[in-house]
Amino acid sequence: MTEPLIASGMAFTPTFGLSGAGLPATRAALYRYAEWAVGDRRLTSLMSEAEYEEFRGGVAAAQQTVPTDLLAFVARHGATVRRLLEGGARVGVGTDSPLVPPAIYYHLNLQAMVRYGATPPTRRCAPPPPRARGRWA
């Protein structure tokens, strides 16, 4: 499945929270491992009080039950990202703000990618090449 995507030369920015099963469904899977973020003022200071309370409540709820099906969905999504990277595809990390609380989903997406096999970027820590930004040199 990933071979045509890799061959296309496209750059990918996967968003685990807004894909496939949809935002409300995958949110529990992302929040399952987000306890660290609840008290991190670097992230939570970017939210309104209502957004923070919703986030905090969502993380607490995700700790009460194991969203097995949703975790499996996110794991499959993560495995796809890993295969894209292994095949040489360009994969970036982004966010869907303002659709989701700012800053949090950027970190939760990156955390999910690493959890399910994508290694952190080590070769390029610079802006993407002009081609990935839609500019052809």
Side-chain angles (χ1 to χ4, degrees):
M1 174 178 116
T2 57
E3 292 80 11
L5 299 173
I6 294 165
S8 74
M10 291 174 45
F12 298 92
T13 306
T15 52
F16 287 73
L18 290 174
S19 57
L23 175 63
T26 56
R27 184 178 288 175
L30 295 178
Y31 285 2
R32 178 75 180 164
Y33 301 106
E35 285 182 294
W36 63 269
V38 171
D40 190 329
R41 293 302 302 158
R42 295 170 298 172
L43 302 175
T44 59
S45 65
L46 300 171
M47 298 180 192
S48 70
E49 195 171 317
E51 287 173 325
Y52 177 71
E53 286 306 315
E54 181 181 343
F55 173 68
R56 190 181 61 73
V59 171
Q63 307 315 305
Q64 300 303 313
T65 59
V66 179
T68 307
D69 292 343
L70 302 175
L71 289 169
F73 170 79
V74 172
R76 286 190 305 274
H77 194 93
T80 299
V81 172
R82 179 184 43 77
R83 286 192 304 275
L84 287 168
L85 288 167
E86 288 171 348
R90 293 183 308 266
V91 175
V93 179
T95 181
D96 291 303
S97 287
L99 300 175
V100 295
I104 298 297
Y105 274 78
Y106 176 87
H107 295 283
L108 296 182
N109 273 280
L110 185 57
Q111 178 179 312
M113 287 182 205
V114 172
R115 172 170 283 109
Y116 297 110
T119 57
T122 55
R123 290 180 291 172
R124 184 183 304 144
C125 293
R131 184 175 175 194
R133 292 190 308 252
R135 298 184 189 127
W136 298 89

